[in-house]
Amino acid sequence: MSEAVLHGHPCFGGDRHKYGRLHLAVAPACNIQCAFCVRKHDCVAESRPGVTSKVLTPKQALQRVRLVMEDPKMREVIRVVGIAGPGDPLANEATFETFRLVRHAFPDLLTCLSSNGLLLPERFPDLLGFGLHSLTVTINAMDPEVGARIYSDVRLHGKLLEGVAGARVLVANQIEGVGLAARHGIVTKVNTVLIPGVNEDQIPLIARAALSLGATVMNIMPLIPQGAFAAIPPPSEQHLRQVRDANSLIIPQFRHCSQCRADAIGLIADKSCGGVR
Ligand code: CLF
Ligand code: SF4
């Protein structure tokens, strides 16, 4: 990991008490359905991925960056501009336009994107085109049979792929995408949702794949039970710690994730940092 990353990016080992991120919620559409995902576009009370107060256009997003960076306190804190939803960033053209606008106006801010990875291989040239700095791919299974329990459908090029067929394509594209990004010098992280009783046995397989593909860090996050997985109890803190500890023998673990909203702003440790200011 480069010094700039270590010091500046709170989700990649940078000082999370000093440096923060600004999420731009420009990406409402998604191309898969995860069993634990419920997206809301009007919620200021909930703080979790998939939630935003408002979906912004690329121009509104740039305006938001300008407003935030006018505040001297925020200017001290914000190092990263991230797009992480509320849907999948790569499934929304607005993501690319927003990054182009922000890169041009604020070349010193690190650009960061979080995706399910389905479109990574085909959209990778566009990410290289505007100089993406860091990438997160959420991989919850390596085995498509397990993936089929987590992803009810996958939509690619107008085709609906259900069950194992969809999961197989998704996993293949995630693997190809992580490898591409790491080989091109993009700092890459793999996020995995720990879903008790569903994907525990997959996690070491994901960790080994992430390491061999060139990812720098893994982030194992607890399930937030909702949607089709609403009845699954989330892992206890002790369970989560055990899984992180075990997998830290394979690849470094990021342990400070706040499972941010799509419009979060400020320090990742600050749970009140979501919502439009
Ligand atoms: Fe945002 Fe994600 Fe970039 Fe960080 S969040 S797009 S890598 S700038 Fe960070 Fe938030 Fe956890 Fe994500 S704490 S949910 S890992
Ligand atoms: Fe929700 Fe993200 Fe899964 Fe899409 S990829 S269904 S936005 S969790």
Side-chain angles (χ1 to χ4, degrees), residues 74-96:
M74 276 296 168
R75 218 165 36 234
E76 279 291 297
V77 167
I78 301 298
R79 289 289 182 280
V80 184
V81 169
I83 300 184
D88 185 71
L90 298 182
N92 294 266
E93 245 359 273
T95 295
F96 303 94

Side-chain angles (χ1 to χ4, degrees), residues 223-235:
L223 171 74
I224 299 174
Q226 51 179 2
F229 282 170
I232 297 182

Side-chain angles (χ1 to χ4, degrees), residues 188-243:
T188 305
K189 164 159 65 62
V190 169
N191 278 6
T192 300
V193 180
L194 170 56
I195 311 165
V198 176
N199 72 344
E200 278 124 321
D201 66 326
Q202 298 294 298
I203 295 182
L205 307 178
I206 299 167
R208 275 188 216 107
L211 181 77
S212 71
L213 291 166
T216 52
V217 67
M218 181 182 200
N219 171 23
I220 301 170
M221 306 177 292
L223 171 74
I224 299 174
Q226 51 179 2
F229 282 170
I232 297 182
S236 65
E237 276 185 30
Q238 191 195 10
H239 183 189
L240 181 63
R241 193 166 49 246
Q242 278 169 356
V243 176

